[in-house]
Amino acid sequence: MNTAQRLNGIGEYYFSKKLREIDQLNREGRQIISLGIGSPDQPPHPDVVKVLNEESVKPNVHGYQSYKGSPVLRKAMAAWYRQWYGVELDPDQEILPLAGSKEGIMHICMTYINPGDLVLIPDPGYPTYRSAAALAGGNTTPYHLTEKNNWRPDFEELKNLLAKRRTGQDGVLMFVNYPQMPTGQLPDKKLFEDLVSFAKANQVLLVHDNPYSFILNEKPMSLLGIEGAKEQVIELNSLSKSHNMAGWRVGMLSGSKERIDEVLRFKSNMDSGMFLPVQLAAARALELSQSWYDDVNLVYTIRRKKVFELLQSLNCSFAETQAGLFVWASVPPASNDGYDLSDTLLKESNVFITPGGIFGSEGNKYVRVSLCTTEEKITEAIQRIKN
Ligand SMILES: Cc1ncc(COP(=O)(O)O)c(C=O)c1O
C-alpha cells in the first residue's frame, strides 16, 4: 500500500532522524555531547511527582477522562493565566487542556485549514508549524524574520503575502511565537498590539505558540493580554519547558468559547482526556510559586554563560538577552553556514549543535545551542572544541 499523498514533501522530523544518527555514533563509542534538543533535563518539582504517585495508586483514576480535561486542571490553568499573565479565562469555556502543544498545532491545522488555504509561517520558526499545516493541505508561506528587524515580522511583507489568498474573503491562519524559537527574541506590548491590529484588519486567525515565556524571561506575556485579542487569537501553552515536564505531555489551548468548541470538534475525534493523575499533578505544578521559576532559571543562567563561552570559542556572534532554552548565534565567516559548522563540530569534536537552517532559510547562517545539558558537559564540549 502506498503512503497517502498528504505525506508527499513531508520528511521524518529532523530530530527524529538526527537523534538516531547520534545514537549510532554513540554505539560506535563516540560519546557525543548533544546540545541539540530543548528537552529539560531537570525533574519537575517533587510535589508534582508526589501527586502523581499518590493519585495513580487509587483504584478509580484509570478510566477514560473528559475530552475537555479535568475541571481541576482547567481551573488551575485559568488561575495560572490570571496570576502570571494577568489574563482572565473562563475555565469551563475558554481553556482546552492538550496532550502537549505540538499536538495542539496539528489539532488547530485540522480544524481550520482547507486545501489551498494560505498559512503564514515564521522563517525561522518551529518546523512543526509548516509540516502540520502542509499535512492539512495548507499553502504554507513563510514570512521572514531577520536579525536586522530584531526577528520581528515585517508588516509590509505580511500585507503583500495576503495577496496570495484565493479570494479576499478567505480567512488566513498565521503562526506566531514569542519568545521566539529559535532566535530567543522577546516580545513587547507594541509588537503584540501590532499583531492583533493586523489580524483584525485582515481576517487573520493568529495562533500564538507560547511555551518559552517563563524561561530566562522576567516578564511572561500572553498575546491574549492585548485588548480584543480573544476574537483573533488562539494561544498554545505548555508545561514541557516551564515545569520540566516535556515527557508528561501537558499543554493547553486558550481562546474564545467559539474557538475552543471548534477545535474540540476535531480533537474529541482524535484523542481522549489525559490520565487523571497526570492532570492533577499538572494542576499542582501550575500552583508553584515564583521560587520554582527562579530556581529553574538560575540553572539556565549559569549554563548560558558557559554556552556563550563555547560560542566565543567558535567565533560565533550572538545577543546576550535571549529568552528560552537555547542560544541562537550567527556562524563566523569561515563557515559556509550552520550545517557546515554543525557537521564539522560533530565530526571533529563529537559535539552536536543544531544547524539554524532546519528552522527555515533565514536560519541558514546560524546555529542553535541547547541549555538542556549540565554545566559539566558544556565545559567538556568547550574543552573538546579547544583541543
Ligand atoms: C516553539 C515550540 N512550540 C512547541 C513545542 C512543543 O512543545 P510541547 O512539548 O508542548 O509539545 C516546542 C518544543 O520544542 C517548541 O520549541
Side-chain angles (χ1 to χ4, degrees):
M1 180 135 182
N2 295 327
T3 54
Q5 283 172 3
R6 73 176 70 83
L7 278 182
N8 293 351
I10 308 276
E12 188 182 342
Y13 190 54
Y14 172 83
F15 282 112
S16 165
K17 268 204 306 227
K18 196 70 195 182
L19 295 182
R20 217 169 34 241
E21 190 187 318
I22 291 174
D23 263 0
Q24 179 55 33
L25 294 175
N26 283 334
R27 272 199 291 277
E28 291 162 15
R30 293 267 301 270
Q31 300 188 346
I32 308 295
I33 296 177
S34 178
L35 304 174
I37 62 170
S39 179
D41 57 320
Q42 299 180 83
H45 192 285
D47 289 355
V48 174
V49 179
K50 190 164 161 242
V51 174
L52 179 71
N53 284 335
E54 285 172 0
E55 292 296 327
S56 56
V57 293
K58 293 183 180 168
N60 58 344
V61 295
H62 303 278
Y64 286 119
Q65 295 301 314
S66 155
Y67 294 97
K68 279 189 89 165
S70 151
V72 175
L73 179 57
R74 278 186 273 112
K75 275 197 189 112
M77 288 172 165
W80 189 65
Y81 255 78
R82 182 183 309 117
Q83 178 176 1
W84 299 101
Y85 297 114
V87 169
E88 290 297 328
L89 295 168
D90 177 342
D92 294 326
Q93 302 196 314
E94 297 180 326
I95 292 180
L96 184 59
L98 301 169
S101 64
K102 187 176 186 185
E103 289 79 344
I105 294 168
M106 193 71 219
H107 297 322
I108 291 169
C109 289
M110 294 301 282
T111 302
Y112 293 105
I113 299 172
N114 280 313
D117 278 353
L118 180 63
V119 186
L120 299 174
I121 313 274
D123 174 357
Y126 184 45
T128 299
Y129 309 140
R130 196 199 71 79
S131 50
L135 281 168
N139 169 12
T140 58
T141 304
Y143 63 91
H144 298 96
L145 307 176
T146 60
E147 192 167 351
K148 203 168 125 238
N149 208 22
N150 291 323
W151 307 109
R152 281 149 197 253
D154 169 352
F155 284 92
E156 283 309 308
E157 183 197 22
L158 288 178
K159 278 183 205 148
N160 293 335
L161 290 175
L162 289 179
K164 288 192 170 195
R165 282 195 271 210
R166 284 165 308 185
T167 78
Q169 306 308 310
D170 278 2
V172 174
L173 203 84
M174 173 173 168
F175 283 96
V176 271
N177 155 234
Y178 288 94
Q180 217 267 340
M181 199 293 298
T183 64
Q185 178 65 49
L186 279 162
D188 57 27
K189 193 154 182 242
K190 167 89 170 67
L191 171 67
F192 276 4
E193 283 170 350
D194 289 350
L195 281 166
V196 171
S197 4
F198 168 78
K200 269 188 201 284
N202 296 288
Q203 288 172 303
V204 171
L205 177 60
L206 289 173
V207 178
H208 183 231
D209 185 22
N210 199 13
Y212 291 106
S213 55
F214 286 85
I215 309 292
L216 296 175
N217 174 27
E218 282 170 11
K219 284 194 209 113
M221 282 178 71
S222 160
L223 191 51
L224 291 168
I226 301 301
E227 213 182 306
K230 262 187 211 165
E231 291 152 39
Q232 303 296 145
V233 175
I234 297 181
E235 185 158 280
L236 290 159
N237 218 317
S238 171
L239 276 70
S240 293
K241 326 284 179 180
S242 50
H243 296 85
N244 294 340
M245 292 167 73
W248 293 52
R249 312 309 301 136
V250 187
M252 75 196 80
L253 194 149
S254 316
S256 67
K257 174 185 185 311
E258 291 73 23
R259 298 290 92 77
I260 298 295
D261 289 349
E262 286 157 1
V263 177
L264 188 64
R265 268 172 69 196
F266 176 78
K267 185 183 181 303
S268 57
N269 283 291
M270 257 320 291
D271 62 16
S272 302
M274 287 171 280
F275 184 39
L276 184 60
V278 166
Q279 297 195 52
L280 298 176
R284 177 70 191 91
L286 293 168
E287 288 164 9
L288 293 170
S289 64
Q290 180 72 49
S291 67
W292 161 258
Y293 301 102
D294 290 346
D295 291 351
V296 166
N297 281 314
L298 182 62
V299 173
Y300 290 133
T301 307
I302 294 167
R303 291 177 181 179
R304 184 166 63 171
K305 271 206 188 120
K306 280 276 154 204
V307 166
F308 288 166
E309 211 182 294
L310 181 148
L311 287 164
Q312 275 153 354
S313 74
L314 293 168
N315 290 323
C316 292
S317 35
F318 49 86
E320 294 197 5
T321 49
Q322 303 178 34
L325 286 178
F326 309 96
V327 180
W328 178 248
S330 65
V331 299
S335 299
N336 289 332
D337 56 23
Y339 290 102
D340 185 21
L341 182 59
S342 170
D343 287 347
T344 309
L345 264 192
L346 187 59
K347 200 160 115 214
E348 295 179 1
S349 309
N350 288 333
V351 173
F352 173 66
I353 62 176
T354 306
I358 72 155
F359 304 105
S361 57
E362 291 294 345
N364 275 341
K365 292 277 180 190
Y366 296 82
V367 286
R368 190 195 76 169
V369 183
S370 165
L371 303 176
C372 298
T373 306
T374 60
E375 196 190 343
E376 291 71 33
K377 281 271 174 221
I378 303 169
T379 307
E380 192 186 330
I382 297 170
Q383 280 317 317
R384 288 189 191 180
I385 291 166
K386 286 188 175 158
N387 291 341

